[in-house]
């Protein structure tokens, strides 16, 4: 039975469904959960359009966007932690910024089970921000991987 379940969320419907499964498994296996929200660093490389061609405007926009992403991520993590408390499951949360694939591979080294939202889930692309190449990821990760539904 897994002692530590790593649950990576992006707040998408698929991630929320996967989170419910994580809570059930943690309860059955008496496992702890580490819930992580990853903000991919690639958003900060956007050059912008003509309307924000000035360096000051671009810096202000990136500051606003970064704060918004962190606020959204914190809300998603807090919501899951509240749900975990109601299930009496031990959970630790973490918000990370970086290369999604590299972070997933690194984090999975400490996990007995990795649970991810389904990268092929239907819906608007803006509903979930976690993007990764599943085939490359599976080859690099040693622990079992559970994907959320295609909500």
């Amino acid at each position: 039975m897994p002692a530590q379940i790593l649950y990576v969320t992006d707040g998408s419907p698929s991630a929320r469904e996967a989170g419910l499964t994580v809570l059930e498994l943690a309860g059955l296996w008496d496992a702890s959960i580490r819930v992580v929200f990853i903000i991919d660093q690639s958003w900060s490389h956007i050059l912008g359009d003509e309307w924000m061609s000035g360096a000051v405007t671009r810096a202000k926009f990136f500051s606003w966007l970064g704060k918004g992403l962190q606020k959204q991520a914190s809300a998603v993590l807090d919501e899951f932690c509240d749900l975990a408390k109601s299930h009496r499951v031990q959970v630790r949360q973490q918000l990370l910024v970086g290369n999604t694939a590299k972070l997933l591979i690194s984090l999975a080294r400490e996990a007995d089970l990795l649970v991810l939202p389904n990268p092929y889930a239907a819906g608007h692309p803006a509903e979930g921000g976690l993007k990764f190449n599943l085939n490359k990821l599976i080859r690099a990760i040693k622990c079992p991987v559970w994907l959320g539904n295609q909500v």
Side-chain angles (χ1 to χ4, degrees):
M1 302 299 169
Q4 164 124 278
I5 300 173
L6 174 60
Y7 165 51
V8 182
T9 183
D10 58 8
S12 66
S14 177
R16 286 195 291 280
E17 288 289 324
L20 296 175
T21 301
V22 166
L23 291 172
E24 286 182 40
L25 294 175
L28 289 171
W29 297 334
D30 194 29
S32 65
I33 300 171
R34 181 177 181 187
V35 58
V36 178
F37 192 111
I38 298 173
I39 298 174
D40 195 291
Q41 67 187 8
S42 63
W43 71 267
S44 63
H45 301 297
I46 301 169
L47 294 176
D49 209 344
E50 293 82 18
W51 62 272
M52 52 181 236
S53 59
V56 173
T57 304
R58 194 167 35 251
K60 285 181 182 178
F61 172 75
F62 285 138
S63 175
W64 171 83
L65 180 60
K67 288 176 185 173
L69 290 171
Q70 288 183 356
K71 185 177 178 182
Q72 175 195 2
S74 294
V76 168
L77 290 170
D78 290 344
E79 180 182 332
F80 180 77
C81 288
D82 289 344
L83 191 58
K85 283 181 189 174
S86 71
H87 283 79
R88 296 188 180 114
V89 174
Q90 182 183 2
V91 65
R92 181 172 54 131
Q93 68 174 330
Q94 193 171 14
L95 171 58
L96 299 172
V97 178
N99 179 291
T100 300
K102 287 180 181 178
L103 286 171
L104 287 172
I105 292 166
S106 175
L107 291 166
R109 289 185 188 124
E110 301 171 16
D112 297 303
L113 174 67
L114 171 61
V115 179
L116 296 167
N118 194 318
Y120 308 113
H124 192 277
E127 288 180 330
L130 191 66
K131 305 297 178 212
F132 53 90
N133 182 312
L134 185 59
N135 291 326
K136 288 182 181 178
L137 198 62
I138 295 296
R139 284 187 225 130
I141 291 176
K142 304 296 181 219
C143 70
V145 178
W146 182 300
L147 291 180
N149 295 335
Q150 286 188 298
V151 178

